[in-house]
Amino acid sequence: MKVLGIETSCDETGVAIYDTDAGLLAHGLHSQIDLHAAYGGVVPELASRDHIRRLPLLIKQTLTEAGLGAGDVDAVAYTSGPGLAGALLVGASVAESFAMARGIPALPVHHLEGHLLSPLLSADPPAFPFVALLVSGGHTQLMRVRGVGDYALLGESVDDAAGEAFDKTAKLLGLGYPGGPQLAKLAEQGVAGRFRLPRPMLHSGDLDFSFSGLKTAVLNVVSASGWNPADMADLAAEFQKAVVDVLCAKALAALKKVGLKTLVVAGGVGANLQLRAVLDEAVARRGGRVYYPEPALCTDNGAMIAFAGALRFAAGESAPEISAVRIRPRWPLVDLRPPHSAVG
């Protein structure tokens, strides 16, 4: 089965072709960073319009790269949520129209399930069960994963997600957009410890997170009368270390709680080099291992959507019988069920 995957949940247009026999055949991605940079953040209306412009051409280019025509596609998988409503509508409309025109099934896919399963696309994938740490601009969650669609929430952020805290803190420091990667790059030039920032909920006794107060602590530092902008790299390094310390401690606690040694890290913040280094060392000391997506698949992309859809199709899940544009801007991951329990 050759599955066309379409991702338009926010500010990246992703398309991919996944073959259940041959694997990932091709994937294309268009980032809207330049479009939104002037505004310091994603403008939903502009994001939707750009998806409309880019998606048809990207589908054509990806099919060509895979050596396929539109008639060779057996099914479509598209991001149905969570995400920006307008952006989701673009991808869903194109996916359902493509499928209806060719008489093939179209399956709505959960964006976070795509991220969660993306490490399975690597040459050395993890085996179920495992603990997943989902860290992105919109979500920070710890999940116990027993199989496709079999997810249990262990903990999540009660306010800002880790990626959101990175972006907001970068804005406080006057860094460019997107802020998270800029802050991480600046942190490489600094030394953590000169400033003492809090590690929110580090000893809360549960697996939840909170990063809003950490951002406020940075604001207090840069607003103080003695603040010297020359110290910005050190402050960035301390901020990054505080986030990494919390993420690592909670991930280790989650592994211990459920009695597992395999950790999967997915989402844009999963590309952070310091987070990877600290997690790799800490989990290895406990006899475990950490798995990540391929670097190109850490951010939003069509490959993870095509793959998640292909896994569900291969397990016997049916697409909804009546074609319709289905989006869910708010969609808890724990609402998902294993493929065999899906209703066609």
Side-chain angles (χ1 to χ4, degrees), residues 24 29 105 110 120 138 154 156 190 224 232 263 321 327 334 344:
L24 185 62
L29 185 69
H110 195 293
L120 276 69
L154 301 174
E156 62 184 340
M232 192 179 298
L263 177 68
E321 293 179 356
I327 66 164
V334 292

Side-chain angles (χ1 to χ4, degrees), residues 13-194:
T13 311
V15 175
I17 299 290
Y18 183 83
D19 189 314
T20 52
D21 290 330
L24 185 62
L25 300 183
H27 70 102
L29 185 69
H30 172 74
S31 173
Q32 299 178 2
I33 286 177
D34 292 341
L35 178 65
H36 301 290
Y39 305 94
V42 177
V43 181
E45 177 65 19
L46 295 181
S48 301
R49 293 183 180 212
D50 200 58
H51 288 310
I52 294 172
R53 285 192 295 266
R54 306 287 180 175
L55 192 52
L57 179 60
L58 199 56
I59 291 174
K60 184 178 180 179
Q61 290 176 341
T62 305
L63 286 170
T64 300
E65 183 183 341
L68 302 174
D72 297 317
V73 176
D74 300 306
V76 183
Y78 65 91
T79 300
S80 181
L84 301 176
L88 291 169
L89 277 170
V90 175
S93 300
V94 171
E96 290 286 354
S97 299
F98 185 101
M100 182 181 293
R102 288 157 184 82
I104 60 177
L107 185 67
V109 171
H110 195 293
H111 177 77
L112 292 182
E113 180 169 63
H115 274 303
L116 187 151
L117 298 175
S118 60
L120 276 69
L121 275 166
S122 65
D124 182 22
F128 298 116
F130 53 77
V131 169
L133 173 62
L134 297 173
V135 275
S136 67
H139 301 85
T140 300
Q141 296 178 326
L142 281 163
M143 311 288 298
R144 183 185 64 206
V145 180
R146 290 176 173 164
V148 177
D150 191 351
Y151 313 130
L153 180 65
L154 301 174
E156 62 184 340
S157 179
V158 299
D159 43 52
D160 289 353
E164 185 179 5
F166 262 93
D167 289 339
K168 288 181 177 179
T169 300
K171 196 166 186 177
L172 287 175
L173 298 179
L175 302 179
Y177 173 84
Q182 298 267 9
L183 191 151
K185 185 176 182 180
L186 179 62
E188 294 176 3
Q189 306 169 28
V191 178
R194 277 200 60 200

